[in-house]
Amino acid sequence: MKIVAVIGAGTMGNGIAHTFAQNGFTVKLIDISEAALEKGMTTIFTNLDRMLAKGTISAEDKMKTISNIICYTDIEDGVVGADLVIEAATENLDLKLRIFRKLNEYCSHNTIFATNTSSISITQIAAVVAHPERVIGMHFMNPVPIMPLVEVIRGYNTSDEVTEFIMNLAKKLDKSAVEVHDYPGFVANRILMPMINEAIETLYNKVAGVSEIDNVMKLGMAHPMGPLQLADFIGLDVCLSIMNVMYDGFKNPKYAPCPLLVNMVNAKKLGVKSGEGFYDYSKNKKAEKVAKQFL
């Protein structure tokens, strides 16, 4: 495998592109938005500069990584010749199905299709392509160049050969691959998201404030980041989407998203990406008032 196409230049997409390019792969980074591509490449440059300053890479490594990435705004042009296509678009089922239908049309039957979805059924996505045995989940963790885990999700029809190949590929990226099966939320988010949702419920029920809840989990449970701050970094819209997927999939009220989470997403208070969530990132200060106005 030499050529990898990554669809989506957002936080996860540019991180995946960076990781593959740094490990010697030719990467075709695809996004319909020229602005998104420019922003994604700026992020990659910034992250490489940070690694260079820390001495973890050389100036030559940086230039080789950048030279390994080619940007495209047309999906057909971008995926031509790719051995592996990784979809890292927004966590929206209809969008992902549209992308995979296009991949089925544009790519050869030998191309492996992976999705970076954090919760959506691999089996459902694979159903829209010929040879669904080649479709698999590669759930990278954010920030991709740093976090060592890849959650490898095999759908109902994913072949043993494709699963083994992706597990070995993750090792070539210096990642630890963990194989899991295709159920809502997989493992990472099936455990993480209910915890975040419960933290939001705790705030909603006025048990404690934002910083108090986060400090209990950081100081008492040794979490590197409190659940409310983590939700802001993930994106409250993403958290809500994952909770809805699990609620729809399991039909269990324990997965129902907290009304506060729903209200904040409706008000476009999405966390870091919007400048406000449980904390105020526009002024780099704690802002419980941001959440309180929705209580």
Side-chain angles (χ1 to χ4, degrees):
M1 178 170 290
K2 296 181 179 179
I3 302 175
V4 177
V6 179
I7 299 175
T11 300
M12 297 306 295
N14 71 61
I16 294 168
H18 173 166
T19 300
F20 273 94
Q22 190 175 329
N23 284 277
F25 292 86
T26 296
V27 179
K28 305 172 88 173
L29 182 58
I30 307 163
D31 200 297
I32 59 173
S33 168
E34 187 73 45
L37 284 170
E38 291 178 4
K39 184 177 180 181
M41 290 303 299
T42 298
T43 299
I44 293 172
F45 269 103
T46 300
N47 289 336
L48 287 169
D49 283 339
R50 187 177 294 116
M51 296 170 77
L52 180 61
K54 291 180 178 179
T56 55
I57 63 170
S58 66
E60 184 181 3
D61 293 331
K62 173 188 170 181
M63 296 313 300
K64 283 183 177 179
T65 299
I66 293 299
S67 67
N68 283 338
I69 303 174
I70 311 165
C71 293
Y72 294 83
T73 55
D74 183 87
I75 187 171
E76 184 174 6
D77 290 342
V79 299
V80 169
D83 304 298
L84 168 68
V85 179
I86 303 175
E87 172 270 316
T90 304
E91 193 75 346
N92 177 283
L93 176 61
D94 290 338
L95 173 61
K96 291 182 187 297
L97 293 180
R98 288 199 300 272
I99 290 172
F100 274 81
R101 288 189 182 101
K102 289 181 179 180
L103 296 181
N104 185 62
E105 179 182 351
Y106 301 148
C107 299
S108 76
H109 290 170
N110 295 321
T111 306
I112 296 174
F113 296 157
T115 173
N116 184 58
T117 181
S118 53
S119 63
I120 296 172
S121 169
I122 308 302
T123 304
Q124 189 173 6
I125 292 172
V128 301
V129 307
H131 304 290
E133 67 275 5
R134 61 184 166 147
V135 181
I136 195 165
M138 288 188 79
H139 181 208
F140 290 85
M141 305 294 127
N142 185 35
V144 180
I146 297 173
M147 296 294 282
L149 176 68
V150 179
E151 195 176 27
V152 177
I153 308 103
R154 58 183 304 163
Y156 188 84
N157 293 306
T158 307
S159 70
D160 292 339
E161 291 79 11
V162 167
T163 302
E164 182 180 2
F165 182 84
I166 293 298
M167 295 285 285
N168 289 330
L169 178 63
K171 293 177 183 177
K172 294 179 181 179
L173 301 175
D174 291 326
K175 302 294 185 186
S176 294
V178 177
E179 180 184 340
V180 305
H181 293 287
D182 186 21
Y183 291 96
F186 316 133
V187 171
N189 283 316
R190 184 169 177 174
I191 295 170
L192 174 63
M193 286 302 157
M195 184 195 73
I196 288 176
N197 194 56
E198 194 63 31
I200 299 172
E201 285 278 1
T202 303
L203 176 66
Y204 180 60
N205 292 325
K206 300 181 173 64
V207 178
V210 172
S211 59
E212 287 79 9
I213 292 169
D214 277 353
N215 281 336
V216 165
M217 298 306 290
K218 288 190 291 184
L219 302 178
M221 309 300 167
H223 289 199
M225 183 182 293
L228 298 177
Q229 186 181 16
L230 178 57
D232 277 353
F233 274 81
I234 294 170
L236 301 192
D237 52 338
V238 176
C239 293
L240 178 59
S241 174
I242 295 170
M243 289 303 299
N244 282 330
V245 167
M246 292 195 294
Y247 182 63
D248 292 342
F250 292 118
K251 308 299 182 186
N252 188 321
K254 77 176 182 178
Y255 297 111
C258 176
L260 174 57
L261 175 60
V262 175
N263 277 347
M264 292 182 71
V265 171
N266 287 339
K268 308 300 182 186
K269 307 299 183 182
L270 308 180
V272 174
K273 69 175 74 175
S274 69
E276 288 186 1
F278 293 105
Y279 295 88
D280 184 347
Y281 300 92
S282 61
K283 298 177 182 178
N284 194 28
K285 65 179 183 179
K286 295 178 180 178
E288 292 182 46
K289 62 182 181 180
V290 175
K292 281 184 175 178
Q293 65 182 297
F294 299 102
L295 293 173

